[in-house]
Amino acid sequence: MAELKVVFWSGSGNTESMAEAIVKGAKEAKAVSMEDITPADLADEKVFALGCPAMGDEELEETIVEPFVAELEKNVEGKTIGLFGSYGWGDGEWMRLWVERMQKAGATVVDGEGVICADAPDDEAEQALAALGAKLSEML
């Protein structure tokens, strides 16, 4: 069975905890920091997860995540992606924009939305993340 890649960037550890919850729900998965993988490493992956918390004025982190996503979106057509991330303010606008961006690039975003939570994932968020991991595993 193929291994699900759960790729994330985390500033405070909350999004990393979310990635770990996805891995727990998946049949076979590995969480990988965006600093340890390149968009080219995902070129042959048909299904994967991407995570980033809301930064600044509800946007993707600009020094690591934004360049990663900009490069990745050139090659996501036909791929299925689970998006996830945490936030500490706002209403999730960064995730809605990220979902729209990936869809415009030709990807299918699982359930048409990302899994988000305020700060660290609570039990409800962990269940949603585990369910995302299980769903992505079934698509491999």
Side-chain angles (χ1 to χ4, degrees):
M1 172 179 238
E3 181 178 68
L4 174 67
K5 288 186 177 56
V6 182
V7 181
F8 69 92
W9 181 85
S10 187
S12 67
N14 293 336
T15 303
E16 182 173 8
S17 293
M18 294 178 80
E20 291 166 3
I22 292 170
V23 168
K24 286 179 186 173
K27 289 183 179 171
E28 189 171 332
K30 179 178 181 181
V32 182
S33 171
M34 274 187 200
E35 295 163 308
D36 297 327
I37 195 169
T38 68
D41 294 329
L42 297 174
D44 293 330
E45 302 295 324
K46 298 290 183 201
V47 176
F48 53 89
L50 291 176
C52 176
M55 300 296 291
D57 188 23
E58 286 212 67
E59 56 199 17
L60 297 175
E61 189 279 332
E62 63 186 18
T63 62
I64 295 167
V65 180
E66 180 55 41
F68 188 97
V69 170
E71 184 63 29
L72 184 68
E73 73 184 317
K74 297 174 187 174
N75 191 31
V76 295
E77 187 168 350
K79 298 184 184 297
T80 299
I81 305 171
L83 296 177
F84 65 97
S86 64
Y87 65 97
W89 61 91
D91 67 356
E93 179 182 20
W94 103 102
M95 184 58 71
R96 291 190 299 276
L97 293 172
W98 195 11
V99 166
E100 183 179 307
R101 181 175 176 183
M102 293 294 96
Q103 290 171 332
K104 282 184 179 177
T108 297
V109 176
V110 175
D111 296 330
E113 63 185 10
V115 177
I116 62 175
C117 68
D119 302 315
D122 59 12
D123 289 342
E124 183 179 335
E126 286 192 6
Q127 289 174 6
L129 293 159
L132 177 61
K135 191 175 282 190
L136 290 168
S137 287
E138 293 298 321
M139 297 176 182
L140 288 175

